Amino acid sequence: APPMSESKQAKSGVETPQAIRGTQDIFGAEAEAFGFVVETFERVRRLYRFRRVEMPVFEKTAVFSRSLGETTDVVSKEMYSFEDRGGESLTLRPEFTAGLARAYLTDGWQQYAPVKLATHGPLFRYERPQKGRYRQFHQVGVEALGLGGPDVDAELIVMGARLWRDLGLNGIALEINTLGSSQDRARYRARLVAYLERHQDQLDDDSRRRMHTNPLRVLDSKNPALQGLIEAAPKLLDDLDAESLKHFEDVQRLVREAGVDFRINTRLVRGLDYYNRTVFEWVTTALGAQGTVCAGGRYDGLIEQIGGKPAPAAGFAMGVERLIALMMDAS
């Protein structure tokens, strides 16, 4: 006998609309796991004294294009943007940080600085759906605004380690790097572009496109044919000034003192323009090529970039669906 839905459809003559590709209906054990992730995050963010905030699901497109960078994959390929009836360009949020930075300025939150904020909810990116990755997906995340010391970077990392413990997840490894200051990156970018130009005949089309628009992203290429070339590329660590180097060394010391293991990954650059100094990812081999379950770092220039007074900031976000996939695989 046909399933009930087919039977009803045949009798009514009306075709049932299907779910949109890259979305999901969460039910049963996965729904329970989803609730457990959010409840655990809520408990831990209170423990670390992060305030809960709620953000609009859509913003003016400029909030993201100016914050993330016009040449990033998110802005150039993945955003769901549309004109509303008033002719204004709006975008479904692809991440939290840019909207939180906008609210920090437009809602006057800077008067309470420093502030530690936490949020969770759905995000939207038009990309190829795969295990643990959807076009409408969910994240939990935290942002520390107005705090510039290495102790904040280390606290975010230790908070992540606490979440893995409370969620009962194992096999998640920490990778850290530094992108230095904007001046450090400008020096490094010039050296890197010169290196890539000398070897551009070995680059794939994607890397040639990024070579002048977002050259650091070439270092993040997963193309096996490019790995030798990338390994031999100049290292950003060689262009750090004394202040940036000390900040990175202090972060490492504090994380070690907290008992959290890590490795330095000089190819870890993050895909968004607003990052500087400390960047980090928590990664696993259990989800195939898409192994990042949490990513974050420092973005001290973002508030000024969208029109505010300079203010240090750092944060992280983790994908709920990826955590659920890990939990379901482990059970």
Side-chain angles (χ1 to χ4, degrees):
M4 183 64 72
S5 59
E6 291 184 15
S7 177
K8 287 183 176 178
Q9 178 180 320
K11 288 180 180 179
S12 65
V14 177
E15 184 176 350
T16 302
Q18 299 300 302
I20 297 172
R21 185 168 185 255
T23 64
Q24 57 178 331
D25 304 305
I26 305 173
F27 178 77
E30 290 190 1
E32 294 300 319
F34 190 104
F36 178 64
V37 169
V38 172
E39 289 161 13
T40 302
F41 171 75
E42 284 290 302
R43 185 176 67 251
V44 172
R45 68 92 181 161
R46 285 192 294 267
L47 183 65
Y48 282 80
R49 302 181 69 81
F50 281 79
R51 297 183 184 184
R52 170 82 192 186
V53 294
E54 297 287 347
M55 305 299 300
V57 172
F58 55 89
E59 298 267 2
K60 293 182 179 180
T61 299
V63 169
F64 302 111
S65 59
R66 287 173 57 184
S67 300
L68 310 186
E70 295 280 3
T71 62
T72 59
D73 285 352
V74 174
V75 173
S76 63
K77 297 179 181 179
E78 298 172 1
M79 294 202 312
Y80 280 94
S81 299
F82 59 95
E83 272 195 13
D84 69 2
R85 294 187 178 186
E88 185 160 39
S89 179
L90 306 178
T91 296
L92 297 177
R93 62 188 184 197
E95 52 102 71
F96 286 125
T97 301
L100 279 163
R102 188 272 308 155
Y104 181 78
L105 297 176
T106 60
D107 295 350
W109 294 355
Q110 67 264 47
Q111 67 184 300
Y112 305 111
V115 290
K116 295 165 67 176
L117 308 175
T119 192
H120 64 74
L123 302 171
F124 306 85
R125 293 188 188 184
Y126 189 86
E127 53 186 347
R128 186 169 61 87
Q130 52 194 289
K131 184 175 182 180
R133 184 186 288 269
Y134 299 89
R135 290 175 175 171
Q136 177 179 323
F137 58 101
H138 300 79
Q139 285 185 349
V140 296
V142 298
E143 319 282 347
L145 303 171
L147 294 161
D151 56 322
V152 177
D153 306 17
E155 180 185 48
L156 293 172
I157 288 169
V158 173
M159 186 178 178
R162 173 63 183 258
L163 280 162
W164 311 141
R165 192 188 78 185
D166 288 6
L167 289 169
L169 292 173
N170 299 308
I172 301 177
L174 173 64
E175 297 183 349
I176 66 172
N177 191 24
T178 180
L179 301 181
S181 66
S182 57
Q183 294 82 7
D184 296 335
R185 275 200 315 287
R187 287 192 300 272
Y188 175 67
R189 178 189 170 109
R191 287 206 305 136
L192 179 61
V193 170
Y195 171 82
L196 294 173
E197 285 178 339
R198 290 197 303 272
H199 298 89
Q200 60 181 311
D201 58 324
Q202 300 174 45
L203 299 177
D204 58 21
D205 291 342
D206 204 35
S207 295
R208 284 196 198 93
R209 177 179 60 82
R210 287 172 166 163
M211 182 169 56
H212 293 288
T213 59
N214 199 352
L216 268 67
R217 289 291 286 152
V218 176
L219 303 177
D220 201 32
S221 172
K222 302 300 187 291
N223 184 343
L226 297 182
Q227 299 313 300
L229 183 69
I230 292 170
E231 286 296 332
K235 301 292 188 288
L236 196 154
L237 285 172
D238 296 333
D239 283 290
L240 296 183
D241 61 23
E243 187 179 353
S244 294
L245 187 59
K246 185 179 187 309
H247 185 100
F248 190 45
E249 289 173 344
D250 286 345
V251 171
Q252 294 175 65
R253 175 179 54 80
L254 291 166
V255 172
R256 284 194 194 98
E257 289 175 356
V260 178
D261 294 328
F262 64 90
R263 80 175 186 95
I264 296 174
N265 178 0
T266 58
R267 292 167 55 178
L268 176 56
V269 296
R270 305 297 304 132
L272 307 178
D273 281 3
Y274 56 58
Y275 282 106
N276 72 307
R277 289 201 169 164
T278 308
V279 289
F280 61 88
E281 290 186 355
W282 290 92
V283 299
T284 177
T285 58
L287 295 175
Q290 300 296 331
T292 302
V293 293
C294 173
R298 182 159 286 286
Y299 44 94
D300 295 334
L302 177 58
I303 301 299
E304 184 178 17
Q305 192 174 316
I306 60 173
K309 295 179 180 179
F316 70 69
M318 55 184 70
V320 177
E321 281 83 0
R322 294 193 184 184
L323 296 178
I324 291 172
L326 285 175
M327 293 166 64
M328 302 296 280
D329 286 350
S331 63

